[in-house]
Amino acid sequence: MKTSVKIAIVVVAAGAVGTVAYKLANRLPSPDQTAEMQVQQILDDGGCLSCHSENPDLPFYASWPVAGNIVRSDVEKGHRQADLGAAFAALAEGRPVDEVSLAKMEKAISDGSMPVAKYYLVHWGSSITDAKKAKLLQWIHDHRVANYSNPATAPRFAGEPVQPLPDSLPTDARKAALGEMLYNDPRLSSDNTVSCASCHGLHTGGVDNRRYSEGVNGSLGGVNAPTVFNAALNFEQFWDGRAHTLADQAGGPPLNPVEMASTSWEQIIGKLKADPKFTAMFLKVYPGGYSGEAITEAIGEYEKTLITPDSRFDLYLKGDSTAITAQEQHGYELFKENRCATCHVGPLLGGQSFEYMGLAQDYFAARGEEMTEEDNGRFKQTQKAYDRHRFKVPGLRNVALTFPYYHDGTRETLSEAVDDMARFQVGRQLSAQDRDNIVAFLGTLTGKFRGRELTNPNAGTVAGVVRSENQQQ
């Protein structure tokens, strides 16, 4: 290292030590503050927003040669890992902090990975002391219990990052019944061959087990179809989040030229109107008559009924210690230990955030396939560089039935998917035993629909690895 660089680093460190030490000496949490104010101060003193926000307050030396490059690289990586801006805003405004931010903070604090050593060595006083760590972890636990815990959860699991599925969601029964008929009606497609159920079959885990779904005239989409089961619990719909509600999502495929290929709602409505019996039923629910909005609302209302509670893992969280095996329990602990539960959170075990694909290694370079428009992920909607290759985190409910995996459908088995998530997202190589234990845990997430456990005739289970009998695409 050149002498000039060493001098620059020493100067930066010395200046930062004096400035930050003085600041922190006057910002010790006070017992008179609310818990939220204390947490906000601890995180602020820890320098979280210096890397984990969209518009960080960079130090003066960020414009210097060498040191500045290091700072900007660290900030970019930190922001890609977690954006805590919304969490800080929620703390300041007295709103619940989102489940993903809670999980990411909890894991980083628990394992001591944040703030990183090179940050607190320069910014003296920013490290999280044992007292602060205990305060933060207790607050995260209490915050989860107060805002996200399922009332049916056993007390010892009330503060877990994942929770049981609700038994049901509030719905309008008449609209849901009509929506079920529309969901299964191929007249929504241009040639009367494709329905919603064609790509999201309830008998096959809410998917079609193809890499890319087949639309009208055999055309193929460019992204793997996510499951419709429990989709009501997603914070946004589609991999790129282009639909805010289930009704918005239901309005996409009928007019998509690659999927159902209808040219307009008028075309669809014309066919439905020609059916007197169906029209009479429709008008009882929607006296104002047919419209695209009414059709998609009804389908969305039906999809709210597609909840699959009472998986073995749900029963375990509700207090039945015999519901899952010792191997599966260990798999759950490994799931948390390997950071899976920092994104796959809540009752859905996912569906609450957009995350970058390839945090630890370049997934797309390793994939060996040409990039597609769908690989841009959230960027397609926002046109923000930060959102390129970010995708809505899929929920893991019934995941043993919903192969193939990832937005591009490139992983056929859970073993492959788990191995590569650890590799590309966390930078770890799992042992075969640890991987198999995590896969075993994921097998406990298969729930029940209308009182019966979900199955999939396309799936077979061999040594805890779910495989497709029909290698499609």
Side-chain angles (χ1 to χ4, degrees):
M1 181 181 292
K2 293 182 178 179
T3 302
S4 60
V5 175
K6 292 181 179 179
I7 293 173
I9 292 176
V10 170
V11 170
V12 169
V17 166
T19 302
V20 178
Y22 178 82
K23 175 184 177 184
L24 295 184
N26 293 279
R27 282 179 58 86
L28 296 176
S30 166
D32 295 331
Q33 294 174 310
T34 65
E36 285 70 24
M37 291 173 65
Q38 292 183 35
V39 167
Q40 186 177 6
Q41 182 173 316
I42 292 172
L43 295 175
D44 186 46
D45 290 344
C48 298
L49 290 186
S50 295
C51 291
H52 300 289
S53 64
E54 184 174 3
N55 298 300
D57 184 13
L58 297 177
F60 65 92
Y61 51 85
S63 61
W64 293 9
V66 183
N69 291 337
I70 295 172
V71 169
R72 287 189 293 275
S73 175
D74 286 347
V75 168
E76 181 180 352
K77 291 177 182 177
H79 189 211
R80 182 175 288 177
Q81 290 270 359
D83 186 342
L84 298 180
F88 270 72
L91 282 169
E93 297 167 11
R95 294 181 288 104
V97 174
D98 67 276
E99 294 178 271
V100 173
S101 292
L102 290 174
K104 289 184 177 182
M105 290 191 293
E106 179 181 51
K107 181 59 177 172
I109 294 164
S110 297
D111 62 18
S113 59
M114 289 291 156
V116 295
K118 65 181 177 180
Y119 182 86
Y120 64 71
L121 285 175
V122 172
H123 297 268
W124 182 86
S126 63
S127 60
I128 303 296
T129 65
D130 287 344
K132 290 180 178 179
K133 176 178 177 178
K135 184 178 290 290
L136 286 171
L137 292 178
Q138 185 62 53
W139 175 81
I140 289 171
H141 174 276
D142 295 345
H143 196 72
R144 281 206 188 106
V145 172
N147 295 285
Y148 299 113
S149 179
N150 186 319
T153 305
R156 69 189 181 106
F157 294 128
E160 288 290 289
V162 299
Q163 290 290 305
L165 280 173
D167 291 336
S168 62
L169 296 177
T171 58
D172 182 313
R174 295 194 312 153
K175 291 180 180 178
L178 181 66
E180 181 174 7
M181 289 187 281
L182 289 163
Y183 183 88
N184 291 282
D185 197 330
R187 289 177 295 187
L188 271 63
S189 65
S190 61
D191 63 355
N192 303 327
T193 62
V194 177
S195 70
C196 303
S198 299
C199 302
H200 301 280
L202 302 193
H203 66 296
T204 51
V207 299
D208 57 7
N209 299 128
R210 293 175 176 266
R211 181 178 182 185
Y212 299 134
S213 297
E214 185 175 321
V216 167
N217 296 322
S219 57
L220 296 178
V223 69
N224 185 247
T227 180
V228 71
F229 280 120
N230 307 303
L233 299 176
N234 285 317
F235 83 133
E236 303 280 7
Q237 304 298 329
F238 293 117
W239 288 97
D240 59 9
R242 65 183 180 274
H244 299 304
T245 68
L246 290 174
D248 291 340
Q249 185 278 327
L255 305 184
N256 187 314
V258 179
E259 298 182 56
M260 301 169 86
S262 290
T263 58
S264 66
W265 285 111
E266 287 71 22
Q267 180 189 31
I268 295 169
I269 291 169
K271 289 186 285 185
L272 298 177
K273 275 186 174 179
D275 182 339
K277 183 177 179 181
F278 182 82
T279 297
M281 289 187 291
F282 193 96
L283 292 176
K284 286 182 180 179
V285 180
Y286 291 99
Y290 282 109
S291 68
E293 290 78 8
I295 291 170
T296 56
E297 181 188 57
I299 295 173
E301 201 68 14
Y302 166 61
E303 290 180 349
K304 291 179 186 177
T305 71
L306 304 182
I307 304 299
T308 61
D310 292 335
S311 69
R312 290 193 293 119
F313 185 62
D314 285 337
L315 299 180
Y316 174 72
L317 291 178
K318 292 177 180 180
D320 183 355
S321 60
T322 67
I324 65 177
T325 67
Q327 180 194 19
E328 293 161 348
Q329 290 181 41
H330 184 50
Y332 175 50
E333 295 306 316
L334 289 169
F335 181 83
K336 293 186 289 184
E337 179 183 316
N338 287 280
R339 297 183 178 275
C340 309
T342 59
C343 298
H344 294 286
V345 299
L348 191 56
L349 282 84
Q352 303 302 313
S353 65
F354 299 105
E355 302 292 342
Y356 186 84
M357 185 67 166
L359 283 171
Q361 295 185 36
D362 190 331
Y363 169 78
F364 296 101
R367 185 178 65 178
E369 296 182 4
E370 289 187 13
M371 296 283 289
T372 71
E373 175 66 14
E374 295 295 343
D375 289 331
N376 284 314
R378 182 64 175 159
F379 174 82
K380 291 170 55 190
Q381 306 305 313
T382 67
Q383 297 299 298
K384 293 170 59 176
Y386 169 76
D387 286 325
R388 194 182 298 276
H389 307 321
R390 300 183 80 84
F391 301 88
K392 185 191 69 181
V393 175
L396 298 182
R397 291 292 178 171
N398 312 305
V399 69
L401 310 179
T402 60
F403 51 86
Y405 304 105
Y406 300 176
H407 77 282
D408 53 12
T410 56
R411 301 304 187 266
E412 179 68 24
T413 70
L414 272 179
S415 289
E416 293 170 329
V418 169
D419 265 338
D420 285 340
M421 275 288 103
R423 173 188 173 192
F424 291 109
Q425 298 304 104
V426 189
R428 294 179 182 175
Q429 178 63 55
L430 295 175
S431 69
Q433 183 175 12
D434 282 355
R435 177 204 63 210
D436 291 347
N437 288 339
I438 293 174
V439 169
F441 157 65
L442 295 175
T444 71
L445 300 177
T446 302
K448 296 179 180 178
F449 180 58
R450 295 176 178 170
R452 300 181 62 179
E453 183 172 342
L454 289 181
T455 59
N456 186 341
N458 292 331
T461 303
V462 180
V465 179
V466 177
R467 299 185 181 278
S468 169
E469 296 176 356
N470 302 309
Q471 301 291 328
Q472 301 184 70
Q473 311 300 310

